Amino acid sequence: MRSHLSEAIFLSGNECDLFFGKHNVGLAIKIMPGYAEYMVLSDEKLVLNCSNTPVQGALKWYRNDILLNSDTSANLEIRGKAESGDNVSILTYSPVSENRSGEYKCKSEVGTSPPSVAAEAKITVFDITVKTTEAEFEYKEDATLGCEVPISNVNIVWKKNNTNVSDLQTASSTAKFVQHQNGTLEFKNPTREDAGLYFCTFQTQAGQQVKIPVAFYAKPMVLPFEKSKNLVQEERLEIRCKALGYPQPTIYWFKEDVPIPPDDKESRFTLSDVDGFPNARLEIASVNFDDAGNYMCLANSTKFSDMNANQTIHIRVKDKLAALWPFLGIVAEVVVLCTIIFIYEKKRNKDANAEEDVNQDGATPEKKSEGVRHRGNTNNPRA
């Protein structure tokens, strides 16, 4: 389990000061966003808009009564523009940091020596620390995400993909989310599919919605697919590889341990996206014998760079006439058998015809039989 600190900036101010001029009746000056309390996480962008109506004097920004100007080294940009008849000045810290805390004022000044203040608005910036606790998926172990906000009476709601975790509960699921009053989110018997980016959300007293990301990590895993596949020459090959884990794994393909480039237009292989995973589908429009072999899908994560997951499939490619060979063998056997029968029958018919011709001439062909005595035969001297 990992702990992470998120710095935050709060902006607050007197609502009357924000929206109404102090010195000139009829001149309004305001700073937006108009929350009485405004929060910006450290390392994020802080944007303040100041405008006065009607346009009167130049708008100047001050922090703790010190004049501010654009400063790239401080990541500060101040620019003005005319918008809908208003005089607008935009202050941007990109990013903001806690040393930018203080009281900000936007003043509408007339003249130069010295300038007179026509109107001003102020907002106070102060920093707090939101402590978040990340987690990593372990098989058959519960997990907990933490979010500690040092503001009283804050109702923390956990979300994933803009959906409350309470709405992710299903009757058939075994992993359940438990939101505790101390701001933690507990996973009961989680699965790898539960990993992802969650948000600790709450609302300030001024009505501002705040979202703080908290990660539930999981090492990559490639879901099993068929171990082998038989194809006939010129058929289409398609292999899909689905991987789980957070951060989302990157998918790579190999044939016989040789990488398949994803952007080689001259390659026989086509790689495309599946369910938001780039290169998760491998296709060959028309396979030939050279396409046979072992194909491996490998999933790699930037966070778990020393941990790879993979699955391999063996592809066999048969001759497109392979199905005809058994049939042709049977036909050949039938032809040979028929030829033998034909020759035999022809020979037998020939012998039968010869015997019939002899009988018609009144002679019986003599049949010699060794060891057999014929009685009544005048040619036999022993008779």
Side-chain angles (χ1 to χ4, degrees):
M1 194 167 291
R2 295 174 171 79
S3 179
H4 175 71
L5 298 182
S6 296
E7 300 294 339
I9 307 296
F10 270 94
L11 309 181
S12 66
N14 185 296
E15 187 172 352
C16 294
D17 291 343
L18 289 176
F19 293 101
F20 301 100
K22 285 186 173 181
H23 303 283
N24 279 0
V25 177
L27 177 61
I29 186 169
K30 61 182 179 181
I31 296 178
M32 295 296 292
Y35 294 109
E37 182 180 82
Y38 183 63
M39 179 179 182
V40 178
L41 294 178
S42 179
D43 297 328
E44 290 187 350
K45 181 182 291 187
L46 168 64
V47 180
L48 299 178
N49 287 268
C50 178
S51 62
N52 62 347
T53 307
V55 176
Q56 181 174 342
L59 293 176
K60 301 289 185 179
W61 285 98
Y62 294 82
R63 180 169 63 86
N64 298 332
D65 293 324
I66 298 176
L67 178 65
L68 296 175
N69 294 297
S70 293
D71 185 353
T72 55
S73 63
N75 302 315
L76 172 63
E77 179 186 14
I78 298 176
R79 58 188 177 90
K81 65 176 183 178
E83 186 175 272
S84 303
D86 295 346
N87 190 23
V88 179
S89 180
I90 303 173
L91 179 148
T92 304
Y93 274 110
S94 182
V96 70
S97 57
E98 59 179 307
N99 60 356
R100 307 307 173 194
S101 301
E103 183 182 71
Y104 285 76
K105 292 182 181 180
C106 177
K107 298 181 180 181
S108 177
E109 299 179 345
V110 180
T112 56
S113 48
S116 60
V117 177
E120 70 177 34
K122 67 180 181 180
I123 192 167
T124 302
V125 178
F126 59 95
D127 66 280
I128 67 166
T129 298
V130 176
K131 182 180 180 181
T132 61
T133 304
E134 300 172 336
E136 183 176 319
F137 170 79
E138 296 291 344
Y139 183 62
K140 289 187 176 181
E141 290 188 11
D142 295 345
T144 302
L145 300 181
C147 182
E148 299 179 23
V149 182
I151 304 176
S152 59
N153 301 322
V154 171
N155 180 33
I156 294 177
V157 176
W158 285 92
K159 295 184 178 183
K160 183 183 182 183
N161 299 330
N162 294 323
T163 302
N164 290 356
V165 294
S166 57
D167 297 332
L168 297 176
Q169 304 276 21
T170 61
S172 60
S173 108
T174 54
K176 302 333 98 220
F177 309 97
V178 181
Q179 300 184 72
H180 297 284
Q181 291 184 350
N182 64 355
T184 60
L185 174 65
E186 184 178 5
F187 297 83
K188 293 289 186 180
N189 213 13
T191 63
R192 200 177 296 266
E193 288 87 344
D194 295 317
L197 188 61
Y198 289 77
F199 290 93
C200 165
T201 69
F202 57 91
Q203 188 176 39
T204 66
Q205 293 180 350
Q208 181 197 357
Q209 294 289 340
V210 181
K211 294 173 61 178
I212 299 177
V214 186
F216 182 23
Y217 296 107
K219 295 176 181 178
M221 183 186 78
V222 177
L223 296 183
F225 46 72
E226 53 190 334
K227 297 296 183 182
S228 63
K229 192 172 186 178
N230 296 326
L231 294 174
V232 176
Q233 188 182 16
E234 296 183 359
E235 280 190 336
R236 176 175 171 271
L237 169 66
E238 178 179 337
I239 311 173
R240 295 191 179 194
C241 180
K242 184 176 181 181
L244 301 177
Y246 184 82
Q248 177 175 297
T250 302
I251 293 178
Y252 302 92
W253 288 95
F254 297 81
K255 182 191 176 187
E256 305 295 353
D257 296 329
V258 177
I260 297 176
D263 52 359
D264 187 356
K265 296 182 179 179
E266 297 181 358
S267 172
R268 292 176 46 76
F269 307 101
T270 301
L271 304 181
S272 56
D273 298 357
V274 175
D275 298 330
F277 280 84
N279 304 325
R281 180 194 290 112
L282 182 146
E283 295 176 271
I284 301 178
S286 177
V287 297
N288 57 36
F289 296 118
D290 293 336
D291 296 321
N294 294 315
Y295 291 80
M296 181 176 68
C297 168
L298 183 143
N300 176 266
S301 172
T302 55
K303 181 173 179 61
F304 305 98
S305 57
D306 58 340
M307 171 67 184
N308 295 325
N310 64 80
Q311 289 288 331
T312 300
I313 182 173
H314 182 69
I315 301 297
R316 302 181 184 89
V317 179
K318 298 181 179 180
D319 191 336
K320 61 182 177 181
L321 299 178
L324 293 177
W325 294 125
F327 173 75
L328 294 177
I330 295 174
V331 171
E333 290 179 0
V334 172
V335 169
V336 171
L337 182 60
C338 291
T339 302
I340 294 173
I341 294 173
F342 175 76
I343 294 173
Y344 173 78
E345 289 294 332
K346 186 175 181 180
K347 185 177 183 304
R348 192 180 70 167
N349 291 338
K350 183 178 180 180
D351 292 343
N353 291 335
E355 184 178 353
E356 184 178 351
D357 292 342
V358 170
N359 291 336
Q360 288 177 357
D361 293 339
T364 302
E366 181 180 352
K367 295 184 179 179
K368 296 181 180 180
S369 299
E370 294 182 359
V372 178
R373 180 179 294 176
H374 296 275
R375 294 182 180 180
N377 191 337
T378 58
N379 295 326
N380 187 353
R382 296 182 183 180

